[in-house]
Amino acid sequence: MRIDVVTLFPGFFTQPLDTSILGRAASGGHLEVAVHDLRSWALDRHRTVDDAPFGGGGGMLIKPEPVAACWEELELGRGLGIYLTADGERFGHQTAVELSLQPHLVLLCGHYKGVDERLRERFIDRELSIGDYVLTGGETAALVVIDAVTRLLPGVLGDFSSAMADSFHDGLLDCPWYTRPAEFDGQRVPEELLRGDHGEVEAWRRRQALRRTFERRPDLLPAADLDDRELRLVEAWSKEREAGSGRSQPSLERERV
């Protein structure tokens, strides 16, 4: 996959793109990221890329000319144009999956009050937000998108099944995970994980993922693929909560399938 990033602050990406999974993805030939300084396409000697909005109001806007010149010179229209903005659609796991299937992404990082609307209409195919809050710029959001998409590319993770078991992959949050030692500071790993029965392990993990989602993100459950037994579990937990008899913080480790 190739990703072009258009930004006012190219240095923001230097170390993150060379670190950990992203660095290995690039060195392994799975990912190519090119970061472009928008000021290189400014039209004046002061490298001005922003101006005040028509009609007044606080803040500045990124001008259309530098972005258009950058897009045309680098032929960025060949990729899927993505603008990182607080008023974009919510970026989530499914969106990351969709983007991971694209051969070429172009990320435009907004700044100030954003970019001239005509740029969005002309060059942008999709607008994304990583949450209901405002960042100082689109660079942080661009890194989130790059990271989430890159780990889904074939060959990037040593154990791709690990990505398939992460939160949101099947519509649920992830289950609790444990490693050695089996007992730490008086707390013991659940017995279901120690008996060597893979079927029991998978059933336990699925139930814990369902319970964790019920407690922390119940809004995800209507879209999750649940069987009849799991639906009955959710209904029972809901009745416990409504009756006030459920624990405020249930012990996930003690739940039984």
Side-chain angles (χ1 to χ4, degrees), residues 48-127:
T48 304
V49 296
D50 62 306
D51 207 339
F54 282 115
M60 305 289 279
L61 286 173
I62 292 179
K63 294 164 57 67
E65 303 96 327
V67 176
C70 171
W71 235 259
E72 292 166 1
E73 180 178 330
L74 300 179
E75 298 183 331
L76 298 182
R78 296 181 177 181
L80 184 73
I82 298 174
Y83 175 45
L84 289 313
T85 174
D87 60 352
E89 64 177 292
R90 178 72 69 87
F91 178 71
H93 177 74
Q94 186 55 44
T95 306
V97 171
E98 294 169 8
L99 296 183
S100 72
L101 302 177
Q102 295 287 333
H104 185 189
L105 303 178
V106 182
L107 307 183
L108 174 61
C109 303
H111 246 278
Y112 314 120
K113 286 187 71 65
V115 303
D116 188 291
E117 186 68 19
R118 291 166 291 187
L119 294 172
R120 300 168 79 159
E121 296 172 355
R122 180 176 175 184
F123 299 115
I124 301 303
D125 301 300
R126 199 158 183 177
E127 302 183 355

Side-chain angles (χ1 to χ4, degrees), residues 29-257:
H30 305 291
L31 176 69
E32 179 186 0
V33 180
V35 180
H36 311 288
D37 185 350
L38 183 59
R39 295 186 188 279
S40 299
W41 285 271
L43 302 179
D44 65 339
R45 63 187 179 89
H46 298 294
R47 305 180 77 194
T48 304
V49 296
D50 62 306
D51 207 339
F54 282 115
M60 305 289 279
L61 286 173
I62 292 179
K63 294 164 57 67
E65 303 96 327
V67 176
C70 171
W71 235 259
E72 292 166 1
E73 180 178 330
L74 300 179
E75 298 183 331
L76 298 182
R78 296 181 177 181
L80 184 73
I82 298 174
Y83 175 45
L84 289 313
T85 174
D87 60 352
E89 64 177 292
R90 178 72 69 87
F91 178 71
H93 177 74
Q94 186 55 44
T95 306
V97 171
E98 294 169 8
L99 296 183
S100 72
L101 302 177
Q102 295 287 333
H104 185 189
L105 303 178
V106 182
L107 307 183
L108 174 61
C109 303
H111 246 278
Y112 314 120
K113 286 187 71 65
V115 303
D116 188 291
E117 186 68 19
R118 291 166 291 187
L119 294 172
R120 300 168 79 159
E121 296 172 355
R122 180 176 175 184
F123 299 115
I124 301 303
D125 301 300
R126 199 158 183 177
E127 302 183 355
L128 298 179
S129 167
I130 62 170
D132 295 337
Y133 44 83
V134 179
L135 299 169
T136 56
E139 287 75 17
T140 304
L143 278 176
V144 169
V145 171
I146 293 171
D147 190 290
V149 170
T150 298
R151 65 191 307 277
L152 296 174
L153 299 178
V156 169
L157 293 183
D159 181 5
F160 191 66
S161 63
S162 175
M164 295 299 97
D166 285 342
S167 289
F168 307 112
H169 175 70
D170 59 359
L172 301 178
L173 299 183
D174 204 358
C175 66
W177 292 85
Y178 299 86
T179 188
R180 295 177 179 83
E183 185 170 339
F184 170 72
D185 199 21
Q187 294 177 296
R188 185 166 175 78
V189 172
E191 291 299 324
E192 291 90 338
L193 303 179
L194 302 175
R195 289 195 281 260
D197 185 328
H198 294 296
E200 183 180 21
V201 169
E202 290 308 311
W204 182 90
R205 286 174 175 167
R206 174 72 179 184
R207 182 182 174 108
Q208 307 318 307
L210 179 61
R211 182 87 196 210
R212 179 166 283 183
T213 305
F214 170 78
E215 293 173 349
R216 301 181 181 183
R217 290 291 306 277
D219 57 296
L220 297 176
L221 292 175
D225 185 15
L226 306 182
D227 61 27
D228 291 340
R229 187 179 185 187
E230 290 169 337
L231 289 171
R232 289 195 296 271
L233 274 174
V234 171
E235 183 179 0
W237 293 334
S238 298
K239 289 180 178 178
E240 286 182 0
R241 175 175 289 177
E242 291 172 1
S245 59
R247 293 162 292 179
S248 58
Q249 291 293 332
S251 176
L252 296 175
E253 294 81 1
R254 295 183 180 179
E255 293 290 347
R256 293 291 186 268
V257 176

